[in-house]
Amino acid sequence: MQCTEKAPSKESTLALRDTIELLGGKWRICILRNLSFGEMRFKDLQETVIGISPKVLSKELQDLEQNRLITRTVNNTKPVTVSYAITAHAAHTVPVINALLEFGLLHRRKIKST
Amino acid sequence: MQCTEKAPSKESTLALRDTIELLGGKWRICILRNLSFGEMRFKDLQETVIGISPKVLSKELQDLEQNRLITRTVNNTKPVTVSYAITAHAAHTVPVINALLEFGLLHRRKIKST
DNA sequence: CTGTATCCAGCAAGATACTG
DNA sequence: CAGTATCTTGCTGGATACAG
């Protein structure tokens, strides 16, 4: 669907809310972006997603997996390692996430300069 | 800045967090999208942003105004009306928001069909 | 119409410690 | 390494009423 609406419909408002629920929160977008560079293990994510606690990371990963945005793979190594990767479906969000990032950088300059 | 990174830098992670803080939460993106169709008054928003309470709407609008994402204009009518409009700066986010919306629609179909 | 005041519940999330 | 358990707090945001 291309968005060609001339006014905000209730339907689109609700759909947008779904997306926000899906990707919203403090961490999920960051996690997805990090995974967009390649698969990572739990510990990698814990280091790269600055400030997240293992409990919260665990929960977020479960949520993302349930929504088919990431995959979880247990590697048969010793000790066991677990790899997380982004799904093809979630890869669609990467350009959007980058756009958000760029807006953030732009915004910082904008606000600072006033 | 075009994002050409090969790995997630701390800097970009933090910048992304800024954006999430800026646009995150349950309501702001919806508000911005609604305003992207043209200026609206408080009451219009209250009706279109389904489920928001006046207190929360008021607070969100203040936050958005402080970040220069919307403008607030008091009209000299009787009784007084107030118009909210998106700034040129925030207009940059509109395509991104629409991309999020479309992803949400896509996602719904994806999840349902499994 | 455009908000603010008050009161309150629930949950996200932090700290920390612990397990397989 | 990859999490889970527990305990606690602070804030988001809901309901409702009221004010300029």
Side-chain angles (χ1 to χ4, degrees):
Chain A
M1 165 223 181
Q2 274 296 107
C3 184
T4 53
E5 294 178 334
K6 290 287 180 291
S9 69
K10 285 199 176 187
E11 213 177 339
S12 61
T13 300
L14 265 357
L16 189 51
R17 281 265 279 283
D18 286 345
T19 313
I20 290 168
E21 194 157 339
L22 196 66
L23 300 180
K26 206 171 170 182
W27 305 111
R28 288 181 203 174
I29 286 186
C30 280
I31 293 171
L32 286 179
R33 182 177 137 84
N34 284 342
L35 290 179
S36 75
F37 292 103
E39 66 173 34
M40 299 177 77
R41 284 174 302 146
F42 193 88
K43 195 199 172 193
D44 297 331
L45 285 168
Q46 212 175 156
E47 284 164 3
T48 322
V49 183
I50 302 162
I52 199 168
S53 73
K55 185 187 83 171
V56 175
L57 178 56
S58 173
K59 185 199 163 271
E60 298 294 291
L61 289 171
Q62 282 171 23
D63 289 351
L64 289 170
E65 193 194 358
Q66 264 183 6
N67 284 305
R68 311 283 199 281
L69 297 177
I70 62 170
T71 58
R72 194 187 106 114
T73 312
V74 179
N75 305 308
N76 206 6
T77 53
K78 189 174 184 293
V80 166
T81 57
V82 181
S83 302
Y84 293 93
I86 202 171
T87 63
H89 178 219
H92 295 354
T93 65
V94 173
V96 183
I97 290 174
N98 283 326
L100 287 172
L101 197 166
E102 287 175 31
F103 178 77
L105 293 169
L106 182 67
H107 182 75
R108 287 216 132 200
R109 290 200 296 276
K110 191 97 176 180
I111 294 300
K112 274 185 188 165
S113 65
T114 45
Chain B
M1 165 221 182
Q2 274 296 107
C3 184
T4 54
E5 294 179 333
K6 289 289 179 292
S9 68
K10 286 198 174 185
E11 213 177 336
S12 61
T13 299
L14 265 356
L16 189 52
R17 281 263 281 282
D18 287 345
T19 313
I20 291 169
E21 194 157 339
L22 196 65
L23 300 180
K26 206 170 169 180
W27 306 111
R28 288 182 204 173
I29 285 185
C30 280
I31 293 171
L32 286 179
R33 182 177 136 84
N34 284 342
L35 290 180
S36 76
F37 292 102
E39 66 172 34
M40 300 178 76
R41 285 175 301 146
F42 193 87
K43 196 200 173 195
D44 298 331
L45 285 169
Q46 212 174 157
E47 283 164 4
T48 321
V49 183
I50 303 161
I52 199 168
S53 73
K55 185 187 81 169
V56 174
L57 178 56
S58 172
K59 184 197 162 271
E60 298 294 291
L61 289 171
Q62 282 171 22
D63 289 350
L64 289 170
E65 194 194 357
Q66 264 183 5
N67 285 306
R68 309 285 199 284
L69 296 177
I70 63 170
T71 57
R72 194 187 107 113
T73 312
V74 180
N75 305 308
N76 206 7
T77 52
K78 187 172 186 301
V80 166
T81 58
V82 181
S83 301
Y84 292 92
I86 202 171
T87 62
H89 177 220
H92 295 354
T93 66
V94 173
V96 183
I97 291 174
N98 283 326
L100 287 172
L101 197 166
E102 287 175 31
F103 177 78
L105 293 169
L106 182 67
H107 182 74
R108 288 217 132 198
R109 290 200 295 277
K110 191 96 178 182
I111 293 299
K112 272 184 191 167
S113 65
T114 46

